[in-house]
């Protein structure tokens, strides 16, 4: 699940690890953005996308448990210009759930260039990371969760906050799908997640990482540095049954210690049901906002840490990051990201 790769394993293979997922309204289109391969580790990262992997956006309709639409990206090896070829496929119906299905080619091109066809427009490449957070604040939240303890507000000050991701980069996949696409017409309710898969020696595919809501791994599994938790390998439809108790218990312990909920167990389960299945819900054609009162997609300027910390602690939490100088980079027009 979403994580910025500040772990030993991710530093070795960040191309397969998802940093963020965004879903928002474009120019009469829905925009899907998946970021991978963060430079935050300061390690000598391998550039580009993995040539033996797949990168997929999965789309559910009207709260359905399974996806009915998917967009699959495949990349070639880096060439002499440090670019890669790419192919994009659309899969619908049962094919959207079938790793062996070929899908329909809808675009092809190279990284760093705009390409498209039919109802889609695509840009992929290295960008300045739009995500922003002060990792000092995350450390205080992690400590509270680990010890089921009261949040130590003296350990971090909002007026001293800095963006720990300033100057870092990620590889980004930007997919814009026109509202002329019959399945993504204006007003359609969708749930979105993304994933990476790696080819196996047996000829199949193994799911490596997936993402829906932001900040899931850093909050709930901060010590799982080798990504061994089975949450990454399963389908979101199994989330609540297989993992709901763990999320509910963690939240209940923290809100009980902080006295922020009259019935901690009940509140813990309410959070588990909001976060699981781990999908970003969005109404096509509306303004995206991953906010306190409602979560509708996720715009690139949304303060996801503030929202997630406030949700799991059941108390208003500020990040201290409000100025465009300290926030992540983004653009108002396609491809909506800032190439590095």
């Amino acid at each position: 699940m979403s994580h910025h790769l500040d772990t030993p394993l991710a530093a070795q293979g960040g191309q397969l690890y998802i940093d963020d997922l965004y879903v928002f309204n474009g120019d009469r289109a829905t925009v899907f953005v998946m970021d991978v391969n963060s430079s935050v580790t300061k390690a000598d990262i391998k550039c580009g996308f993995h040539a033996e992997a797949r990168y997929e956006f999965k789309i559910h309709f009207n709260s359905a448990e399974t996806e009915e639409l998917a967009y699959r990206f495949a990349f070639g090896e880096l060439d002499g210009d440090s670019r890669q070829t790419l192919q994009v496929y659309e899969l619908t119906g049962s094919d959207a759930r079938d790793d062996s299905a070929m899908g329909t080619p809808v675009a092809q091109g190279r990284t760093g260039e705009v390409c498209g066809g039919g109802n889609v427009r695509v840009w992929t490449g290295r960008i300045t990371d739009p995500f922003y957070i002060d990792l000092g604040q995350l450390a205080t939240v992690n400590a509270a969760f680990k010890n089921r303890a009261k949040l130590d507000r003296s350990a971090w000050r909002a007026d001293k906050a800095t963006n720990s991701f300033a100057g870092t980069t990620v590889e980004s996949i930007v997919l814009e799908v026109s509202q002329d696409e019959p399945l993504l017409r204006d007003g359609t309710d969708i749930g979105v997640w993304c994933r990476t898969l790696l080819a196996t020696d047996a000829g199949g595919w193994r799911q490596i990482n997936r993402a829906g809501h932001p900040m899931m791994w850093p909050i709930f599994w901060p010590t799982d540095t080798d990504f061994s938790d089975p949450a990454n390998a399963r389908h979101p439809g199994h989330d609540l049954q297989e993992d709901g108790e763990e999320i509910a218990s963690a939240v209940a312990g923290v809100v009980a210690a902080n006295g922020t909920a009259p019935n901690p167990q009940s509140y813990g389960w309410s959070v588990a049901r909001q976060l699981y299945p781990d999908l970003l819900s969005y109404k096509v054609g509306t303004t995206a906002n991953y906010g306190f009162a409602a979560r509708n997609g996720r715009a690139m300027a949304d303060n996801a840490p503030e929202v997630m910390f406030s949700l799991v602690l059941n108390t208003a939490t500020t990040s201290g990051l409000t100025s465009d100088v300290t926030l992540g980079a983004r653009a108002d027009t396609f491809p909506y990201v800032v190439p590095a």
Side-chain angles (χ1 to χ4, degrees), residues 290-312:
Y290 198 85
F292 299 105
R295 289 178 293 279
N296 181 46
R298 182 184 171 197
M300 299 185 75
D302 288 342
N303 196 324
E306 238 179 38
V307 175
M308 286 293 286
F309 293 159
S310 298
L311 175 65
V312 300

Side-chain angles (χ1 to χ4, degrees), residues 91-209:
L91 300 97
T92 59
S94 61
D95 283 356
R97 305 183 291 275
D98 185 354
D99 291 346
S100 66
M102 296 299 294
T104 301
V106 292
Q108 62 179 356
R110 292 206 311 163
T111 55
E113 302 173 0
V114 176
C115 63
N119 292 326
V120 307
R121 185 163 51 162
V122 171
W123 186 92
T124 62
R126 194 118 200 127
I127 66 167
T128 300
D129 195 345
F131 182 72
Y132 54 96
I133 188 176
D134 187 322
L135 290 176
Q137 183 183 30
L138 174 60
T140 65
V141 174
N142 285 158
F145 265 81
K146 178 182 178 181
N147 301 314
R148 302 294 193 266
K150 191 172 180 63
L151 185 70
D152 182 2
R153 296 185 181 275
S154 68
W156 177 84
R157 291 177 51 184
D159 61 336
K160 301 294 185 181
T162 59
N163 178 15
S164 299
F165 290 87
T168 63
T169 60
V170 291
E171 302 286 355
S172 189
I173 297 174
V174 181
L175 168 67
E176 186 181 64
V177 184
S178 168
Q179 290 177 18
D180 291 333
E181 162 59 48
L183 292 173
L184 290 174
R185 293 280 170 80
D186 192 29
T188 304
D189 289 317
I190 61 175
V192 183
W193 58 294
C194 62
R195 67 174 183 163
T196 59
L197 302 95
L198 189 63
T200 67
D201 292 338
W205 295 89
R206 178 167 62 97
Q207 182 172 300
I208 301 297
N209 200 213

Side-chain angles (χ1 to χ4, degrees), residues 30-334:
T30 305
V31 183
F32 306 88
V33 179
M34 180 195 322
D35 293 338
V36 301
N37 205 14
S38 172
S39 67
V40 73
T41 56
K42 311 301 182 187
D44 185 16
I45 60 171
K46 185 174 181 180
C47 295
F49 300 92
H50 201 299
E52 295 180 4
R54 288 174 172 175
Y55 300 79
E56 295 183 342
F57 294 102
K58 304 280 237 174
I59 304 167
H60 301 223
F61 295 94
N62 301 313
S63 301
E65 185 173 321
T66 57
E67 59 272 30
E68 293 287 334
L69 176 63
Y71 288 94
R72 176 183 297 156
F73 287 70
F75 296 87
E77 297 285 356
L78 285 167
D79 62 21
D81 296 324
S82 295
R83 299 287 182 88
Q84 294 173 270
T85 58
L86 68 95
Q87 294 81 38
V88 187
Y89 303 86
E90 182 184 73
L91 300 97
T92 59
S94 61
D95 283 356
R97 305 183 291 275
D98 185 354
D99 291 346
S100 66
M102 296 299 294
T104 301
V106 292
Q108 62 179 356
R110 292 206 311 163
T111 55
E113 302 173 0
V114 176
C115 63
N119 292 326
V120 307
R121 185 163 51 162
V122 171
W123 186 92
T124 62
R126 194 118 200 127
I127 66 167
T128 300
D129 195 345
F131 182 72
Y132 54 96
I133 188 176
D134 187 322
L135 290 176
Q137 183 183 30
L138 174 60
T140 65
V141 174
N142 285 158
F145 265 81
K146 178 182 178 181
N147 301 314
R148 302 294 193 266
K150 191 172 180 63
L151 185 70
D152 182 2
R153 296 185 181 275
S154 68
W156 177 84
R157 291 177 51 184
D159 61 336
K160 301 294 185 181
T162 59
N163 178 15
S164 299
F165 290 87
T168 63
T169 60
V170 291
E171 302 286 355
S172 189
I173 297 174
V174 181
L175 168 67
E176 186 181 64
V177 184
S178 168
Q179 290 177 18
D180 291 333
E181 162 59 48
L183 292 173
L184 290 174
R185 293 280 170 80
D186 192 29
T188 304
D189 289 317
I190 61 175
V192 183
W193 58 294
C194 62
R195 67 174 183 163
T196 59
L197 302 95
L198 189 63
T200 67
D201 292 338
W205 295 89
R206 178 167 62 97
Q207 182 172 300
I208 301 297
N209 200 213
R210 67 176 173 111
H213 290 286
M215 301 293 298
M216 292 290 286
W217 209 269
I219 292 175
F220 295 111
W221 303 283
T223 61
D224 186 16
T225 57
D226 63 356
F227 293 86
S228 61
D229 192 286
N232 268 315
R234 68 172 176 250
H235 186 278
H238 302 296
D239 280 342
L240 194 61
Q241 178 181 350
E242 296 185 16
D243 215 25
E245 179 64 45
E246 181 179 359
I247 299 296
S249 177
V251 172
V254 170
V255 298
N258 287 272
T260 55
N263 187 331
Q265 285 71 34
S266 178
Y267 183 76
W269 272 107
S270 76
V271 171
R273 292 188 178 96
Q274 289 180 67
L275 296 178
Y276 280 161
D278 188 17
L279 308 171
L280 278 183
S281 298
Y282 176 64
K283 183 180 285 292
V284 173
T286 63
T287 300
N289 179 36
Y290 198 85
F292 299 105
R295 289 178 293 279
N296 181 46
R298 182 184 171 197
M300 299 185 75
D302 288 342
N303 196 324
E306 238 179 38
V307 175
M308 286 293 286
F309 293 159
S310 298
L311 175 65
V312 300
L313 295 169
N314 198 31
T315 186
T317 306
T318 179
S319 71
L321 299 173
T322 57
S323 168
D324 284 342
V325 175
T326 60
L327 302 189
R330 55 195 178 276
D332 294 330
T333 57
F334 187 88

